[in-house]
Amino acid sequence: MSMIGTRVVRREDPELLTVGGYYVDDVAPADALHVTFVRSVMAHAVISGIDATEAQAMDGVVGVYTAADLALEAHPPSMPMLNQSMTRSILAADRVRYVGEPLAAVVSTTREIGVDAAELVVVDYEPLEVVVSMREAMEDKTLLFPDVGSNTCFAVPASAESDIFSDVEVRVDLTFNNPRLTAAPIEPRAAAARWDSAAAQDGTESLRLTQWSCTQFPHTTRDSLAADLGVEPTDIRVITPDVGGGFGAKGGRYPEDVLVAMLAKETGRAVRWTETRSENMVGMDHGRAVEFEASMGGTRDGRITAYHLHMIQDSGAYPRIGAVLPFLTRIMTSGVYDIANVDFSAVSVVTNTAPVGAYRGAGRPEATAALERMVDLFAAEIGMDPAEVRRKNFIAPEAFPYKTSTGADMDNGEYAKALDAAIEAADYPQLRVEQDRRRNDPSAPLLGLGWSTYVEITNPMGNGEFGSVEVRPDGSALVLTGSSAHGQGHHTAFAQLTHEVTGIPMDRIEIRHGDTDEVKRGGGTGGSRSLQTGGSAIWQASEQVVTMAKDAAAELLEANPADIVLNTDTGDFSVAGTPTITTGWAEVAQHIAANPLPAPTTQAGAEVELGPSAESDEDQHVGPIDGRLMAEVDFTPTAATFPFGAHLSVVEVDRDTGKVTPLNHVCCDDAGVIVNPMIVDGQVHGGVASGIAHALLEEFAYDTEGNPQTANFMDYGLASAAELPEFTRIPLETPTPRNPLGAKGIGESGTIGATPAVQNAVIDALAHLGVRHIDMPTTSQRVWRTIAEASASG
């Protein structure tokens, strides 16, 4: 029976739900010293002195280290397109630029001693003017890097050479926000490090680093540590155990990770660090933090003909990946719509706030949020139902593959089909009838209906992935992947793929990842690419193993390899026409072990069946490796994939308090071929929950002096199950030709589609009052004020 498309219960869940998993803080060396960081309490100041005398004298304190003690130098941003003059030292040396920036490290025998000692470190500050607002930062009156002379770290110029709105009949303009968020993973950041003696090839001894890291990208973490520490990647082993959520924020290099490795070498001891929740809220990369200036124009019968989006990106105090995310927003500017004239521009600026990085969609949710808000505003202006405006402007299915003027090379799309499925599932016409009834009943809460139709780019950089499959002499299989799991269901989905090709029972397939010594190379997990790249590598490696096994089975059964067939229901090989005489995986693996072939050479572009229209470039081992029945594949897709969907949010608004209650969220998300619908449901539900919280509750706020106002879970608006509605998920599969599985990404789709749908629903509930916009988050207070202002002016 085929396992593709089967709702298989996640294999990893029993351990996670009982034992609780094994995270960095669980597996770090028990005798490790503890690191506690002294963090800035000022948003912008010159450091005139750091006195650690009293802390150094405490029993149990091994040392207190500053940038000067470790001879740390400032380095430019790792991305060359960012302003290279905006340098940073991994411990602040002469100036701090945001509250929470690390400026000293205490190493102690216990965590408790470290916390007490950090409180005794005296830092002398000379306060400087603070700039928190992006627009104020653009004025360059207060500079974070005075020698640079500007706060601008990245810019995308407009491309239109003429007025794209000159011929429109209707034009709408809006300036609005996409508020700053924090990823808030269940597991905060953590790292542990130990240096051990290792024999070099020339017979001498050298030191080798083992670093335990809660990261989405183990191999990238290894390589960045090597660059920071001045050693070769082969001198570092990164181990990534269970990771308690990443969402993009655990994808980058953090100063604390490097310092843990440095301090382990400095002290000659293993060291460990696990941040507190409050540290996580102010120190981990934030997300979104955008302002938009948008214009949309078209005809009165609903055709959108022109759209311009200008994006102001808050990069935080130091330019990181968040500063270049407008590049991805630009690619997806026009979304699912056939718009003749599209223009995009952006500027990224530094402010006295925590750095901004990637968060759940990273640039693509921003594009959808802006576009879908403007489509609703355009629909309101011409008096047309927003669903019909969307339908009228969709890119037609027959137009694919489709290239947009902003650089999206889209594989396929059935946008109207997704919209119609959501309309039918929700009984949308009847909801509009109910909305009118409530508007005419002063005692009834208001009803709002909000649409979002989106397309996103997954694996946007076209990254490849490593995968290997080895069948052991006992007939079980070991699968290695360069992808890294932190909640997505890799262990289940990858075992399903291996079983589908080999017939080996899932409970005899072991999935391993996250150890750079064991897994030769890997891209990690991000950009919703794990299944389409990591899964494709495993699929092709499984096919190669089957081909090798058939050759061995032919020898055992004394037949021609071309006549050998594999029964994937039983996992047995037989000769075509004589199914009663069989041999199994164990016998085949044992035969290969007893009759090893010479070690194969790596061949680039070896022929592998990819399906009717899929193409790829890959490096592969062909033939048994060292007497093992094993195949390795590095799969690289020809291009990115473009999942899409339609979301309808149904919300209720209390007329007296402004409280918004989501009643239902209908979503039809296409992710190509679905391997495990249960996993996809979970991915979509989690994404939708995040998107709803973004629209209704979440905002990381600073006061005008750069002090965090929402730095713990008491103040920050996280959603729980009590705040979330029922989810109605409608499956849709539009296979992509860009990988052998036909799969697209799904991990970020729910977030991308949900946020604008909910925001549009809240505004729609108040549309009869003349309300055309409410900024996110649409909190009770903000909605109540909007109702009061509309009622007073009406």
Side-chain angles (χ1 to χ4, degrees), residues 156-516:
V156 180
S159 57
E161 298 179 355
S162 59
D163 182 8
I164 64 175
F165 294 95
S166 59
D167 297 328
V168 302
E169 298 174 3
V170 180
R171 173 173 172 162
V172 290
D173 303 280
L174 186 65
T175 298
F176 55 111
N177 76 333
N178 197 314
R180 175 184 287 256
L181 308 176
T182 181
I186 292 176
E187 177 200 25
R189 294 175 297 166
R194 182 183 66 214
W195 293 83
D196 297 303
S197 296
Q201 290 183 348
D202 61 3
T204 62
E205 282 200 352
S206 62
L207 290 176
R208 190 164 191 262
L209 170 67
T210 299
Q211 178 119 346
W212 292 265
S213 178
C214 61
T215 178
Q216 297 172 221
F217 303 102
H219 293 84
T220 302
T221 297
R222 177 199 63 191
D223 296 346
S224 64
L225 282 170
D228 285 316
L229 300 171
V231 301
E232 294 297 319
T234 52
D235 293 328
I236 298 176
R237 176 188 185 186
V238 169
I239 300 173
T240 300
D242 289 328
V243 175
F247 311 114
K250 288 183 180 175
R253 159 198 176 276
Y254 284 100
E256 293 91 341
D257 297 319
V258 183
L259 284 161
V260 165
M262 285 184 171
L263 293 170
K265 194 169 191 179
E266 183 74 17
T267 61
R269 297 271 303 275
V271 301
R272 62 191 298 171
W273 165 71
T274 300
E275 69 180 348
T276 65
R277 178 57 60 186
S278 293
E279 281 185 293
N280 178 265
M281 297 289 279
V282 301
M284 175 177 267
D285 283 356
H286 290 173
R288 309 295 189 253
V290 171
E291 288 187 13
F292 299 116
E293 297 171 356
S295 300
M296 181 172 283
T299 63
R300 293 199 173 277
D301 66 355
R303 279 292 300 159
I304 301 169
T305 60
Y307 176 50
H308 173 76
L309 179 64
H310 179 65
M311 178 176 179
I312 306 171
Q313 174 70 64
D314 189 342
S315 305
Y318 297 96
R320 288 167 62 85
I321 187 174
V324 301
L325 290 181
F327 166 72
L328 289 177
T329 303
R330 180 185 183 276
I331 291 175
M332 301 311 302
T333 300
S334 56
V336 296
Y337 306 114
D338 181 8
I339 304 175
N341 301 290
V342 177
D343 195 22
F344 177 89
S345 57
V347 60
S348 299
V349 294
V350 290
T351 63
N352 292 122
T353 60
V356 173
Y359 172 70
R360 209 154 193 171
R364 291 99 80 198
E366 291 87 331
T368 299
L371 179 60
E372 292 303 290
R373 184 76 280 278
M374 293 305 294
V375 171
D376 259 36
L377 192 65
F378 179 78
E381 184 68 21
I382 64 175
M384 182 178 289
D385 187 282
E388 289 309 305
V389 171
R390 287 170 168 81
R391 184 193 309 280
K392 187 180 283 284
N393 290 281
F394 283 151
I395 301 166
E398 59 271 17
F400 291 93
Y402 184 89
K403 292 186 178 182
T404 70
S405 61
T406 54
D409 179 10
M410 297 194 282
D411 44 7
N412 51 33
E414 292 273 3
Y415 306 143
K417 182 183 289 187
L419 178 70
D420 290 338
I423 286 174
E424 181 180 356
D427 195 359
Y428 180 63
Q430 186 57 42
L431 286 173
R432 285 295 182 195
V433 172
E434 174 63 12
Q435 181 182 57
D436 288 340
R437 184 194 71 77
R438 292 189 183 208
R439 285 176 174 173
N440 294 318
D441 179 1
S443 66
L446 297 169
L447 190 69
L449 311 175
W451 282 106
S452 169
T453 49
Y454 75 91
V455 60
E456 67 148 325
I457 180 173
T458 58
N459 192 23
M461 306 310 294
N463 299 97
E465 192 53 272
F466 168 82
S468 71
V469 176
E470 177 183 1
V471 180
R472 298 152 162 160
D474 65 356
S476 65
L478 171 64
V479 177
L480 302 182
T481 175
S483 186
S484 180
H486 34 89
Q488 297 89 342
H490 287 47
H491 292 263
T492 304
F494 289 170
Q496 284 182 256
L497 294 175
T498 307
H499 167 79
E500 181 75 12
V501 177
T502 66
I504 296 173
M506 283 187 61
D507 61 3
R508 304 209 69 206
I509 299 171
E510 181 183 4
I511 311 296
R512 293 217 296 255
H513 61 86
D515 184 335
T516 60

Side-chain angles (χ1 to χ4, degrees), residues 592-616:
I592 288 176
N595 301 275
L597 296 176
T601 58
T602 300
Q603 298 184 7
E607 293 186 6
V608 175
E609 182 63 37
L610 298 180
S613 56
E615 299 178 359
S616 72

Side-chain angles (χ1 to χ4, degrees), residues 85-134:
S85 297
M86 294 181 174
T87 60
R88 180 181 189 181
S89 171
I90 56 176
L91 283 176
D94 56 353
R95 177 186 294 236
V96 290
R97 294 181 172 88
Y98 69 97
V99 172
E101 182 172 3
L103 48 80
V106 177
V107 180
S108 57
T109 54
T110 70
R111 188 172 302 178
E112 294 76 13
I113 290 173
V115 172
D116 290 341
E119 293 287 338
L120 298 178
V121 176
V122 178
V123 183
D124 290 328
Y125 299 99
E126 296 177 15
L128 298 170
E129 291 294 320
V130 173
V131 58
V132 173
S133 161
M134 288 175 265

